[in-house]
């Protein structure tokens, strides 16, 4: 039997993006709130509320990434990778809460007569859409490379802000073009944006909970690990294979069968070869536990 639990590499780029998102969200939230109140646009005020949750979300993401990057220790021998999934779940919950609050207030505004928004609020929204979409793409690119669920949640949080701003832009445009009687278009836009945020928040929460529940990774990961082990000279078969994800790392628990006549020393060497083969094919396999079993062919074999 052979085990390994090498330290996880830090993720400084992800943490820097989380810090950048925090600063940008704070500035945009203030700008949108002031513009929404002065420009008589509830959709813009709702957008500011969503940006406020983005600020909290960025803090959660930053904290989650910082904790997850810590090396394993005696208290947490498998590392702190689960902090990423916990942070992703928290960010998703913030999105769900923001969507619910925006929807409730939008319905109330729809039922209350009010003036049409000011035309210059469109300029503010156009700026917000460009900034948030560029940030979302940048964060998404990092999440695609790292495989981090919390970075993916952060990217969607930024994109949700761009979506709410886009919906507000459309709603205000309709209200201004339509004239008297079309004022609620701004509020309907906020309601549509809330629905989009609610759906995306639910999907992200489901992904985070799956990681926390040790759901098996994608079949491609299982197949790659299995193929790497079977291709190792001396391995006759695989008896069991279990893989769980912790942050961006995978922890592999595999039972491989070999010649029963192997000495303990040779079996130890073979297990090291299997571990090396697996980590070469799957670099994210930070922990690999090898169980050596005697190969006993069945009558049909």
């Amino acid at each position: 039997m052979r085990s390994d639990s090498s330290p996880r590499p830090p993720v400084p780029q992800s943490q820097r993006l989380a810090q950048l998102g925090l600063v940008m969200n704070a500035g945009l939230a203030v700008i949108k709130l002031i513009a929404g109140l002065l420009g008589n646009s509830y959709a813009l005020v709702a957008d500011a509320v969503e940006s406020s949750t983005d600020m909290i979300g960025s803090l959660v993401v930053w904290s989650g990434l910082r904790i997850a990057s810590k090396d394993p220790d005696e208290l947490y021998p498998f590392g702190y990778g689960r902090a990423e999934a916990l942070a992703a779940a928290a960010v998703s919950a913030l999105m769900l809460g923001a969507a619910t609050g925006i929807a409730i207030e939008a319905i109330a505004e729809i039922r209350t007569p009010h003036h049409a928004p000011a035309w210059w609020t469109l300029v503010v929204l156009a700026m917000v859409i460009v900034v948030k979409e560029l940030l979302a793409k940048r964060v998404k690119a990092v999440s695609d490379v790292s495989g981090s669920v919390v970075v993916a949640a952060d990217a969607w949080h930024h994109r949700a802000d761009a979506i709410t701003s886009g919906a507000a832009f459309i709603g205000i445009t309709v209200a201004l073009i339509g004239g008297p009687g079309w004022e609620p278009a701004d509020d309907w836009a906020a309601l549509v944006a809330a629905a989009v945020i609610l759906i995306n928040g639910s999907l992200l929460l489901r992904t985070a909970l799956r990681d926390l529940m040790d759901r098996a990774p994608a079949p491609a990961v299982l197949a790659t690990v299995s193929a790497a082990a079977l291709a190792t000279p001396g391995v006759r078969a695989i008896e069991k294979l279990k893989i769980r994800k912790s942050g961006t790392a995978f922890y592999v628990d595999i039972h491989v069968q070999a010649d029963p006549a192997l000495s303990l020393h040779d079996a130890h060497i073979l297990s090291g070869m299997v571990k090396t083969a697996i980590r070469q094919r799957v670099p994210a396999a930070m922990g690999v536990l090898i169980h050596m079993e005697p190969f006993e062919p069945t009558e049909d074999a």
Side-chain angles (χ1 to χ4, degrees):
M1 181 174 68
R2 187 181 180 95
S3 65
D4 179 78
S5 56
S6 303
R8 302 175 65 251
V11 283
Q13 186 178 15
S14 300
Q15 293 186 35
R16 286 197 299 270
L17 284 176
Q19 294 170 345
L20 175 62
L22 175 61
V23 174
M24 294 186 65
N25 287 328
L28 290 176
V30 173
I31 292 173
K32 288 188 286 189
L33 181 61
I34 294 175
L37 293 175
L38 296 179
N40 195 39
S41 169
Y42 176 69
L44 201 47
V45 173
D47 212 4
V49 173
E50 209 280 329
S51 287
S52 298
T53 65
D54 281 352
M55 291 171 53
I56 301 174
S58 294
L59 278 174
V60 172
V61 170
W62 179 34
S63 299
L65 290 171
R66 183 172 53 83
I67 294 172
S69 66
K70 295 173 62 177
D71 293 339
D73 52 32
E74 293 184 359
L75 290 177
Y76 296 91
F78 291 100
Y80 293 78
R82 291 284 181 84
E84 290 196 16
L86 286 171
V91 171
S92 302
L94 285 172
M95 292 177 67
L96 296 178
T100 302
I102 291 172
I104 292 174
E105 289 299 320
I107 293 173
E109 288 292 318
I110 290 172
R111 301 173 61 182
T112 303
H114 56 77
H115 298 291
W119 67 268
W120 52 264
T121 56
L122 294 176
V123 178
V124 176
L125 286 168
M127 176 197 68
V128 172
I129 293 171
V130 172
V131 171
K132 295 297 287 188
E133 182 59 24
L134 289 175
L135 185 58
K137 287 183 177 181
R138 185 175 178 184
V139 177
K140 181 65 167 57
V142 174
S143 72
D144 289 341
V145 174
S146 66
S148 171
V149 64
V150 69
V151 178
D154 196 30
W156 264 111
H157 214 180
H158 291 307
R159 181 148 288 161
D161 205 2
I163 290 172
T164 56
S165 297
F169 188 95
I170 295 173
I172 293 174
T173 301
V174 172
L176 292 174
I177 295 177
W182 286 89
E183 293 86 354
D186 173 48
D187 308 310
W188 280 104
L191 190 60
V192 171
V196 174
I197 297 172
L198 187 66
I199 293 172
N200 288 322
S202 299
L203 294 175
L204 289 171
L205 180 60
R206 183 178 66 176
T207 300
L209 292 178
R210 284 175 174 177
D211 281 358
L212 289 172
M213 292 294 292
D214 283 340
R215 188 187 183 196
V221 177
L222 292 166
T224 301
V225 171
S226 179
L230 287 173
T232 305
V235 173
R236 301 285 189 85
I238 294 177
E239 183 178 344
K240 297 177 183 177
L241 173 60
K242 294 184 291 184
I243 304 177
R244 67 181 180 87
K245 187 179 181 184
S246 181
T248 59
F250 291 110
Y251 285 86
V252 180
D253 189 336
I254 184 171
H255 293 237
V256 297
Q257 296 182 350
D259 187 347
L262 283 178
S263 66
L264 180 60
H265 179 265
D266 290 339
H268 176 76
I269 293 176
L270 178 57
S271 70
M273 293 170 59
V274 173
K275 181 193 72 174
T276 300
I278 291 174
R279 296 189 67 182
Q280 286 178 344
R281 296 283 296 276
V282 184
M286 296 298 171
V288 181
L289 182 63
I290 309 292
H291 302 264
M292 297 302 300
E293 306 284 352
F295 178 67
E296 299 176 350
T298 62
E299 296 181 358
D300 296 333

